[in-house]
Amino acid sequence: QAQFVESGGDLVQPGGSLTLSCAGAGSSVSAESMTWHRQAPGKAREWIATLCPGGATFYADSVKGRFAVSRNEDKNTVYLQLHDLPPEDTATYYCQRHGATTWGQGTQVTVLS
């Protein structure tokens, strides 16, 4: 049973943009900090962004200036905007509350090369 469900991943051209969504199913997206991670094939899961309840955001150096995390509390949904995508951003993207140890299915982003 997933607490958050990711969607919005797609196949895109280099330099393109996507908006990923993370819908709360069994949990609130505003109760504590929400994170985005990603995992490329054959690589470890990598933290890329955090959104705190008060609105502060933090980003990994690899995505800083290109990605933006936000939330809509009425829709109980967190978003991740991805811009200027290079092929290196190809990965499965996951959302989860800070400190959680379980993961959902994620959503696949593929940047063509």
Side-chain angles (χ1 to χ4, degrees):
Q1 182 180 356
Q3 300 299 299
F4 305 98
V5 180
E6 304 93 339
S7 63
D10 205 352
L11 189 71
V12 299
Q13 296 289 338
S17 299
L18 284 173
T19 298
L20 308 183
S21 297
C22 172
S27 298
S28 169
V29 304
S30 59
E32 56 189 294
S33 296
M34 295 294 299
T35 70
W36 284 94
H37 290 70
R38 67 184 180 185
Q39 187 168 26
K43 298 184 178 179
R45 184 176 288 106
E46 171 193 19
W47 169 84
I48 55 172
T50 295
L51 175 60
C52 300
T57 57
F58 301 90
Y59 300 94
D61 288 342
S62 59
V63 305
K64 191 174 298 181
R66 300 189 298 111
F67 289 12
V69 63
S70 61
R71 65 162 60 92
N72 184 320
E73 294 190 18
D74 290 338
K75 296 182 178 180
N76 198 35
T77 300
V78 171
Y79 305 94
L80 183 68
Q81 296 174 279
L82 299 76
H83 301 290
D84 194 24
L85 291 163
E88 303 87 82
D89 285 338
T90 293
T92 302
Y93 285 71
Y94 303 88
C95 71
Q96 185 56 282
R97 66 183 186 277
H98 175 73
T101 57
T102 60
W103 303 90
Q105 294 298 303
T107 187
Q108 178 67 37
V109 172
T110 300
V111 185
L112 296 173
S113 61

